[in-house]
Amino acid sequence: MRADLEEIFRDAYPRVVAVAARVLGGRDEAEDVAQEVFLSFGRSAVPAGEAIGWLCVAAAHTALNHLRSGRRRVAREADEAAPDPVPDVADAVVTREERRRVREALGRLPRKAAVALVLRHSGLSYAEVAAALDLSPGSVGTTVRRAESALREELIRHASSR
Amino acid sequence: MRHPAEGTLRRLADEPSAITDPDRAHVAACPDCQETLSTVRKEAALIGAALHTEAAPDVDAGWRRLSDAFAAPMTAAEAIRVGRRAPVPRWRGPMVAVAAVVALLTGATAAVATDWLRVFHTEEIAPVTISRADLLALPDLSAYGDVEVTEEPHVRDVPDAAAASEATGLAVPEVTSLPRGVSGQPVYQAGDRVTAVFTFDGDRAGGPPELDGARFRLTAGPGVAAVWAEDRGVPALIVGRAVAPAAYSDSGVDFATARDHLLSLSGLPADVAAQLRAFTGDGTTLPLHVMDEKLTSAPADVNGAPATVLTSRDGVLAAVVWVRDGVVTAVAGSLSADEVLTVARGLA
């Protein structure tokens, strides 16, 4: 375990959880992802100065992997236990359904676009996103913009096909 | 002047100072760009709201959890996950014998604690279900004698499959069709044979007199692996092959004698010890430890060879491992069991 881990962890953990939560739509699984990422980071020789970018990118990738692997499980669970739309919980059901649709659409985006989108919306600067993804800072705006358009279109297309 | 690209407008919405003065001036005076900028801002806000999730974690609790994880030996799933996410995956350190795939799958503690079980020629692999608590309770070999590593694995990257094959003498498995979500060229790795000599110490372990000072030479490898990564090195697929573990005794001690004595010392529950006795009865079956809390195992068939499929309970990881002609091959990754089996059955 690297000596600077605790300091980096305390500084970066909320941000890393937030990145994963944006992908997964929930805190519990996001915290699991963050733990995995820090476990990996703790055994790495990533320079401290590059830690936040590395951690956020790893969180986004790992969360997207969870998203992909969990999709079948979510679909199966939905089939097995479709909730009755009880009026007083209808809003919660709708919210959960919307959240699931967003995550599924995110999972269908090209990997780099999805990661850039999540990192930017998690508060990383364009320079940080560029460094993390080996992009030129000037191309981050294009990547993020295209990802936003693609996600919006995915949501619309998926909604209209239901 | 031409209109700035939408990417530039997108950045203008976030970081106006990063945009050049001429572009800013153009947008300020151009109705078309203003309209586009308004759309860009609205969509950014919409997507931002859609992605937003409340997540204010307890940092102290998180740190305690992480500290506990570091205090415990790596599990198989963790070992593979660590390999998946390292920017350039490398298998290093004492946890990884050159039988890298087996060590990777069984995890550090299992590999160290149960090397003595590999005192035979491996012809097949069979899962042994063991709880994390029981696994952690196992002492390592140093509790019973002296272990000296006489050949190091020297795992390193090599340029291509031909170089991996030349370095190890093994035919490198060729993936004919990559699963969905895996692309690009793999990084190839090669490792030399690892050899360790274990000398039984009757003072530490007791046992019958013939065991005191008995020596066993344990070997595994060489091995090769191909690792597919995505973007900044998030590996999605690992295909590995290694000469299966074997062992030799120069003391004439009957393997069953050593096995039964070590099992009696290990503190394993009776049912686990019984599984191990049964598996190792003919000296050709390598137990593959399956931690019940983390993994499930199922039998399968890879082109005629009996295989074991491991799947992490969280659905993130799957692996399949099998032995043919004294060579162990494994396919693992962030895939489903069906996907790793498809890759395994399609290897050329």
Side-chain angles (χ1 to χ4, degrees):
Chain A
M1 186 173 97
R2 51 192 294 165
D4 58 0
L5 182 61
E6 181 170 2
E7 182 182 352
I8 292 172
F9 180 90
R10 291 188 178 282
D11 181 51
Y13 186 62
R15 203 167 182 184
V16 173
V17 172
V19 169
R22 277 184 169 77
V23 176
L24 296 164
R27 197 186 74 180
D28 289 347
E29 196 175 3
E31 288 200 73
D32 289 346
V33 165
Q35 287 285 327
E36 285 185 43
V37 167
F38 275 103
L39 200 57
S40 176
F41 177 79
R43 296 183 176 114
S44 78
V46 175
E50 299 174 14
I52 189 68
W54 192 98
L55 287 163
C56 288
V57 170
H61 279 297
T62 307
L64 283 165
N65 287 343
H66 276 233
L67 195 64
R68 191 182 67 165
S69 64
R71 199 177 305 148
R72 285 182 298 266
R73 186 173 63 244
V74 168
R76 189 167 59 244
E77 288 169 355
D79 289 344
E80 290 171 354
D84 293 326
V86 181
D88 60 348
V89 297
D91 286 349
V93 171
V94 169
T95 300
R96 191 164 57 235
E97 174 64 14
E98 287 300 309
R99 187 175 292 173
R100 187 178 66 80
R101 283 202 307 121
V102 170
R103 268 69 213 182
E104 287 187 354
L106 185 65
R108 288 192 291 271
L109 293 187
R111 176 60 70 108
K112 187 171 261 185
V115 172
L117 182 67
V118 167
L119 294 182
R120 174 60 208 137
H121 280 279
S122 298
L124 269 71
S125 71
Y126 282 59
E128 288 172 322
V129 174
L133 294 177
D134 291 330
L135 293 169
S136 69
S139 68
V140 171
T142 303
T143 304
V144 171
R145 170 66 186 148
R146 286 178 180 165
E148 286 170 345
S149 293
L151 183 59
R152 187 177 65 86
E153 287 168 12
E154 276 281 334
L155 288 168
I156 292 171
R157 187 165 59 86
H158 189 68
S160 63
S161 66
R162 289 162 64 87
Chain B
M1 180 184 175
R2 63 176 176 78
H3 302 299
E6 282 199 11
T8 304
L9 296 179
R10 180 65 184 85
R11 192 171 189 184
L12 181 63
D14 286 337
E15 298 179 351
S17 62
I19 306 304
T20 62
D21 289 342
D23 276 346
R24 273 207 307 272
H26 173 97
V27 173
C30 175
D32 289 345
C33 286
Q34 284 291 324
E35 187 176 339
T36 306
L37 179 61
S38 174
T39 301
V40 165
R41 282 186 166 135
K42 283 178 186 170
E43 290 194 1
L46 175 74
I47 297 300
L51 292 175
H52 181 72
T53 302
E54 289 295 336
D58 183 335
V59 177
D60 288 333
W63 174 247
R64 285 194 299 273
R65 184 179 170 195
L66 186 69
S67 301
D68 289 346
F70 272 108
M74 265 197 301
T75 66
E78 287 163 353
I80 290 175
R81 285 176 192 156
V82 168
R84 282 205 335 255
R85 284 192 304 281
V88 179
R90 288 187 170 83
W91 301 344
R92 291 189 177 130
M95 65 157 280
V96 183
V98 166
V101 175
V102 171
L104 201 63
L105 291 169
T106 55
T109 302
V112 173
T114 61
D115 269 347
W116 69 271
L117 288 172
R118 302 177 188 174
V119 184
F120 42 64
H121 173 69
T122 305
E123 291 184 2
E124 61 180 315
I125 289 175
V128 175
T129 302
I130 185 168
S131 71
R132 181 182 181 83
D134 288 338
L135 191 61
L136 294 178
L138 282 171
D140 66 28
L141 279 179
S142 63
Y144 304 134
D146 297 318
V147 181
E148 181 188 7
V149 177
T150 53
E151 288 180 287
E152 298 277 2
H154 297 131
V155 178
R156 70 274 186 191
D157 289 350
V158 292
D160 51 32
S165 183
E166 184 178 354
T168 61
L170 290 167
V172 180
E174 182 183 344
V175 177
T176 53
S177 178
L178 288 170
R180 182 171 171 268
V182 181
S183 60
Q185 295 300 310
V187 172
Y188 288 96
Q189 298 183 329
D192 303 326
R193 185 177 73 165
V194 64
T195 302
V197 175
F198 170 61
T199 305
F200 205 97
D201 184 344
D203 289 339
R204 277 178 261 179
E210 66 267 31
L211 271 180
D212 191 17
R215 283 159 44 94
F216 297 92
R217 186 165 67 90
L218 317 173
T219 69
V224 296
V227 182
W228 277 261
E230 292 178 47
D231 294 338
R232 257 177 75 102
V234 181
L237 173 65
I238 300 172
V239 177
R241 175 169 285 170
V243 173
Y248 310 88
S249 166
D250 68 353
S251 58
V253 172
D254 173 57
F255 170 67
T257 301
R259 176 200 65 195
D260 290 345
H261 182 59
L262 289 174
L263 282 177
S264 74
L265 292 174
S266 66
L268 282 171
D271 63 325
V272 176
Q275 286 184 75
L276 293 174
R277 282 194 185 91
F279 283 135
T280 58
D282 62 359
T284 59
T285 303
L286 179 69
L288 181 62
H289 290 93
V290 178
M291 271 203 288
D292 200 33
E293 299 90 336
K294 296 281 186 180
L295 297 169
T296 60
S297 70
D301 175 278
V302 175
N303 303 331
T308 299
V309 176
L310 303 176
T311 308
S312 64
R313 291 193 180 277
D314 59 10
V316 171
L317 162 77
V320 57
V321 58
W322 69 98
V323 178
R324 178 176 279 142
D325 299 331
V327 173
V328 60
T329 305
V331 175
S334 176
L335 301 166
S336 69
D338 287 344
E339 287 170 322
V340 293
L341 272 172
T342 299
V343 172
R345 289 165 179 159
L347 290 178

